[in-house]
Amino acid sequence: MPVLQPSRRKRDPGPSPHPAERRPDSPQTAPEDEPGARSSPAALPQHLLRRLRPADREVLWLYLLTRAGIWITAYCTRWLFPDDGDTRSPAPLLAPFLHWDSVRYLYIARDGYFPGQAGPWRGDWDNREAFFPGFPLLLRAVHALVPDWTLAGLLISFVAGAVAVVALARIAEWYLPGTRAGGRTVLFFLLSPSAIFLAAGYTEALFLAFALPAWLAALRRNWQAAAVLTALATTVRVSGLFLAAAVGLHFLLTVREHRRWRALPWLVLPALPVAVYHLFLRVHTGDWMAWKHAQERGWYRDFHTPWEAWANTWRGAFGHSQTTGYAFMFQAELAAMAVGLLLLGLLLWRRRWPEAACIGLSLWALGTSYWYMSIPRAMLLWWPLWIALAAVSLRRPWAKSAYLCLVGPLTTVFALTFLTGRWAG
């Protein structure tokens, strides 16, 4: 089965445990993609357009179409599901996107982490230190040009999502060369149940805009670029550390072939943003574990064994202890964990050790809290999942239709749930 099968410079009789390095003259790697390519600042926009291949443009066209679909859904939501059933006017244009964590990032960007000497010592504290600073910092910078905070966040996600889908398509083509798997991988990704969070003012799109090019750089043995991009991803989400583990393991598995030990110190770089952020919190709260304690207070993310977490989530889903909306989302959490475990098993079976390390660490972090939370959103970050689905559909064409028919309703439900202000994982 060609799931996640890497490309090779020549045919060999057996599978390789990690992707082979491309030659600079590889027909699937355009000369402009090489690190040595340069252009003058004045010619940069035109140069960037030339770097886009026809396959990239197809992916971006698909991306724009799905963004249009989300905005149509948001428009309909404003009219069909108002907060007040007797209203004669819809909610403001951007109101459907300003819910949950979007509001938290807005407050951090606007007011900072500890405004007016407020902090976790207050009973009404919102635990905002649980959120890494990369997205709020960028939001504050974009707001200098875009006065509306919500629109600034949507613009960040829009641009970052475009970068992410191009990188995802190129990674898919690396694993499945000669199959035009990039577009299919991106299609599965953009129509996944939690895809609404790629369009909202959330961190998923920005994280992937750094993380996916970082992994692509690691596949190309450009360790400096991989380390810098992974460090940027780590400023956005703690999941960047899981990616750093994958990059580091990939380096160790391939360094004996290329003897590039000089790049080893670069792989420590992704830990720097985490260290700086924890130091910042220590200065303001006196607590080295302020981030973890905020997670525990706000989201019950204190350590529990995996079977305890599964049992507590199961009770939330089917024990009639939660309202139906939350119960449904707990059911989605269980399903997402099951998918993650299947993906991890596949990666281990295919000896995809770096990718398995990234997914395994993610599952461990999400699966050892009091109960599961945000696993469906985390699936967006599992790039091997979307490539594996594309690989299966290339061998079995009916799988594509089955995926679209079965997942499409869930994608619509998740989008409507978030856009109407309900909890959507």
Side-chain angles (χ1 to χ4, degrees):
M1 183 171 65
V3 177
L4 297 180
Q5 186 67 21
S7 61
R8 302 181 179 87
R9 286 186 284 181
K10 60 181 180 179
R11 292 186 178 272
D12 55 35
S16 171
H18 44 262
E21 182 180 25
R22 292 197 188 278
R23 298 187 302 268
D25 59 346
S26 170
Q28 296 183 11
T29 304
E32 293 84 7
D33 289 339
E34 295 306 310
R38 296 290 185 270
S39 62
S40 64
L44 184 58
Q46 184 179 1
H47 176 67
L48 291 176
L49 290 175
R50 286 202 305 267
R51 289 169 66 95
L52 290 176
R53 303 167 301 175
D56 297 332
R57 294 187 177 94
E58 291 180 14
V59 165
L60 290 174
W61 178 241
L62 177 62
Y63 178 71
L64 291 175
L65 287 175
T66 56
R67 299 314 87 185
I70 287 174
W71 277 95
I72 291 173
T73 305
Y75 175 85
C76 296
T77 299
R78 293 169 54 230
W79 288 90
L80 295 175
F81 303 102
D83 293 335
D84 181 2
D86 295 327
T87 186
R88 297 295 188 269
S89 301
L93 179 64
L94 302 179
F97 295 95
L98 192 59
H99 298 300
W100 302 102
D101 290 356
S102 297
V103 179
R104 295 177 181 270
Y105 287 119
L106 186 157
Y107 289 162
I108 296 171
R110 187 188 64 190
D111 306 324
Y113 276 97
F114 306 103
Q117 304 302 315
W121 45 86
R122 285 178 39 172
D124 59 348
W125 184 238
D126 60 5
N127 302 303
R128 62 181 64 186
E129 67 271 29
F131 298 88
F132 272 42
F135 188 88
L137 286 173
L138 183 57
L139 179 59
R140 189 176 184 89
V142 174
H143 178 257
L145 302 175
V146 181
D148 186 277
W149 286 101
T150 305
L151 182 58
L154 296 179
L155 182 61
I156 291 172
S157 292
F158 177 77
V159 175
V163 174
V165 296
V166 171
L168 178 61
R170 293 188 180 189
I171 292 172
E173 292 169 2
W174 184 285
Y175 284 108
L176 302 167
T179 60
R180 297 184 63 84
R184 185 163 299 201
T185 300
V186 170
L187 176 67
F188 291 165
F189 170 69
L190 290 176
L191 296 183
S192 60
S194 296
I196 181 62
F197 294 102
L198 296 170
Y202 271 59
T203 58
E204 277 74 13
L206 182 61
F207 176 83
L208 289 170
F210 294 133
L212 293 177
W215 184 245
L216 187 60
L219 292 176
R220 293 172 174 170
R221 312 298 193 269
N222 188 342
W223 304 113
Q224 291 87 347
V228 171
L229 289 167
T230 303
L232 291 172
T234 307
T235 68
V236 179
R237 295 175 64 99
V238 72
S239 309
L241 293 178
F242 310 151
L243 174 65
V247 172
L249 183 54
H250 185 53
F251 174 83
L252 294 176
L253 290 173
T254 59
V255 70
R256 288 182 297 177
E257 177 184 353
H258 302 285
R259 305 294 180 184
R260 296 181 180 177
W261 288 103
R262 291 181 179 179
L264 183 60
W266 282 92
L267 302 184
V268 183
L269 186 62
L272 183 60
V274 179
V276 171
Y277 183 53
H278 278 71
L279 177 61
F280 167 80
L281 295 180
R282 170 66 174 80
V283 170
H284 286 81
T285 67
D287 182 8
W288 282 107
M289 303 297 290
W291 175 80
K292 182 177 184 297
H293 293 156
Q295 292 278 345
E296 293 172 355
R297 288 192 305 268
W299 296 270
Y300 302 99
R301 283 178 170 161
D302 51 337
F303 179 78
H304 289 263
T305 61
W307 45 92
E308 285 180 303
W310 177 276
N312 292 334
T313 309
W314 185 274
R315 283 193 292 270
F318 301 107
H320 304 288
S321 60
Q322 303 288 330
T323 58
T324 56
Y326 283 104
F328 174 79
M329 285 302 159
F330 277 124
Q331 295 171 26
E333 300 283 350
L334 293 169
M337 174 58 76
V339 172
L341 292 173
L342 288 173
L343 174 63
L344 178 61
L346 174 64
L347 293 171
L348 292 173
W349 176 56
R350 299 294 298 180
R351 295 185 298 167
R352 316 299 307 165
W353 310 124
E355 295 90 333
C358 184
I359 302 303
L361 289 171
S362 176
L363 291 174
W364 178 260
L366 294 167
T368 54
S369 300
Y370 176 78
W371 51 26
Y372 301 157
M373 190 170 290
S374 302
I375 300 180
R377 278 172 51 199
M379 291 175 67
L380 293 170
L381 315 183
W382 299 347
W383 77 91
L385 173 62
W386 315 114
I387 299 174
L389 289 173
V392 170
S393 71
L394 288 170
R395 288 198 61 192
R396 298 174 175 84
W398 58 265
K400 176 182 176 181
S401 299
Y403 176 88
L404 297 178
C405 291
L406 296 177
V407 173
L410 290 176
T411 304
T412 303
V413 167
F414 269 67
L416 287 174
T417 300
F418 175 80
L419 293 171
T420 56
R422 295 171 175 83
W423 176 247

